[in-house]
Amino acid sequence: MAEIIQKDGTWTFDGDAVRIVPGRDKGVGLLRQTLGEVVVPLRALAGISHEPGRKAGRLRLRLRDGADPLLQVTGGRLPESSDPYRLTVDADRTGVAEYFVDEVRNALLLDQVDPGPADVYLLPGPAVPISVAAGDGTVAFDGDRVALDWNWTTEEAKSSGGPREFRVADLRAVEWSPSKGLENGWIRFTLAGAPAAPAPKYDPHTVELFGFKKDPLMALVAAAVAVRMPHPRGVAVSAEPAPALSKAPVPELAASAPEPTAPEDHDALLRRLRELGDLHQGGILTAEEFAAAKQAVLRRF
């Protein structure tokens, strides 16, 4: 097991998943604090990196496109303080961070995890029920129904119709956009069959965001709803956490022999060692990659 503990949070890797617990440092954003512990299964990872710095470096997890509903709805627009997959690392812990990176990379290589896009969500999304008040309204979601309520800043054209409520099954899309410069952000719910929506300020199915502290929390609501809708790649998902997927091979590491069926099968592990040796001799694996993968296999005996 590999673990790194920092003021920014704690990351632990047990060979199957990276467990992320946010810290209590002032630099930890409200979204990360509210989201709480996140468990990222190995099959959801596309990579990991350590970016060293003079005073502090960063560990970053890169998830497969489409694996996480939060990343899906935010589209790379979360501020760094709200990013759950970034960890600030003190300069004197660089060695620990690099060891952590090596352990995760070795596991990805050994298990031949496909870094390509996922067609189902591999993370369950934020816990429900969830309720957030920000901008000109409040959004509450219980796992099935979305409720919108308004406050004193809401335009009369929107608030005159009263609170709104609808089911996830009635939705065609949920979108989140952060405030940028002088432009307000929003969280918008588009119902199936609905005409083109008016501007967020007047749309009764949209909460307008003004750029205040709680705005990023609306991204959690959007993710909790999105994970219960059909995946963007066309595969329907349930409200329950996604089941384990079979591991697809990385093309350049594919071999004719099947993957070991169980870590305890020594014959299968020996076959895997021979496969790795063939890949190395064939020039597909570098000496460093071969040594790392070989050590990972030997640890399973």
Side-chain angles (χ1 to χ4, degrees), residues 59-80:
L59 269 178
R60 292 186 186 273
L61 281 183
R62 184 165 60 88
L63 273 64
R64 295 171 61 191
D65 184 28
D68 178 23
L70 178 61
L71 295 184
Q72 185 69 36
V73 298
T74 55
R77 293 168 294 176
L78 280 176
E80 283 220 343

Side-chain angles (χ1 to χ4, degrees), residues 276-288:
L276 291 171
D278 292 341
L279 292 171
H280 175 46
Q281 291 178 1
I284 297 174
L285 291 180
T286 65
E288 292 77 11

Side-chain angles (χ1 to χ4, degrees), residues 23-38:
R24 299 182 179 276
D25 187 65
K26 63 181 180 180
V28 179
L30 184 59
L31 183 147
R32 288 173 60 196
Q33 296 173 16
T34 304
L35 180 61
E37 181 179 296
V38 178

Side-chain angles (χ1 to χ4, degrees), residues 18 99 108 116 122 168 206:
V18 177
Y99 171 75
L108 289 171
L122 302 177
V168 171
T206 298

Side-chain angles (χ1 to χ4, degrees), residues 53-294:
R54 190 189 314 178
K55 293 184 178 180
R58 287 185 178 87
L59 269 178
R60 292 186 186 273
L61 281 183
R62 184 165 60 88
L63 273 64
R64 295 171 61 191
D65 184 28
D68 178 23
L70 178 61
L71 295 184
Q72 185 69 36
V73 298
T74 55
R77 293 168 294 176
L78 280 176
E80 283 220 343
S81 63
S82 297
D83 185 352
Y85 306 117
R86 176 196 61 83
L87 181 72
T88 300
V89 178
D90 293 338
D92 62 353
R93 305 298 287 170
T94 295
V96 179
E98 291 178 348
Y99 171 75
F100 193 97
V101 168
D102 287 343
E103 288 295 292
V104 175
R105 284 179 177 171
N106 289 345
L108 289 171
L109 180 65
L110 180 61
D111 285 7
Q112 299 185 11
V113 174
D114 182 358
D119 56 12
V120 294
Y121 290 120
L122 302 177
L123 278 77
V128 293
I130 184 172
S131 179
V132 176
D136 68 352
T138 298
V139 183
F141 179 54
D142 63 4
D144 179 47
R145 293 183 178 275
V146 179
L148 308 182
D149 202 0
W150 314 114
N151 59 35
W152 65 275
T153 67
T154 312
E155 282 288 321
E156 185 177 355
K158 181 191 292 190
S159 62
S160 60
R164 301 282 172 154
E165 184 174 306
F166 40 87
R167 300 185 63 188
V168 171
D170 300 325
L171 288 175
R172 187 176 75 223
V174 56
E175 304 168 88
W176 174 85
S177 181
S179 302
K180 185 177 181 180
L182 298 177
E183 296 182 4
N184 292 334
W186 36 262
I187 178 171
R188 170 179 284 143
F189 301 92
T190 303
L191 273 63
K201 187 175 183 178
Y202 305 107
D203 184 0
H205 296 106
T206 298
V207 172
E208 192 175 28
L209 305 174
F210 305 142
F212 297 128
K213 182 179 180 180
K214 288 188 176 181
D215 281 11
L217 296 184
M218 284 296 186
L220 296 181
V221 178
V225 173
V227 78
R228 291 164 172 82
M229 297 176 63
H231 193 276
R233 298 185 186 281
V235 180
V237 296
S238 70
E240 300 300 322
L245 298 179
S246 59
K247 296 167 182 172
V250 178
E252 63 267 25
L253 297 183
S256 58
E259 191 176 357
T261 57
E264 294 77 13
D265 186 342
H266 285 198
D267 289 339
L269 290 174
L270 289 172
R271 286 197 302 273
R272 182 62 181 147
L273 283 174
R274 286 194 292 271
E275 292 170 15
L276 291 171
D278 292 341
L279 292 171
H280 175 46
Q281 291 178 1
I284 297 174
L285 291 180
T286 65
E288 292 77 11
E289 290 171 335
F290 171 66
K294 178 181 175 182

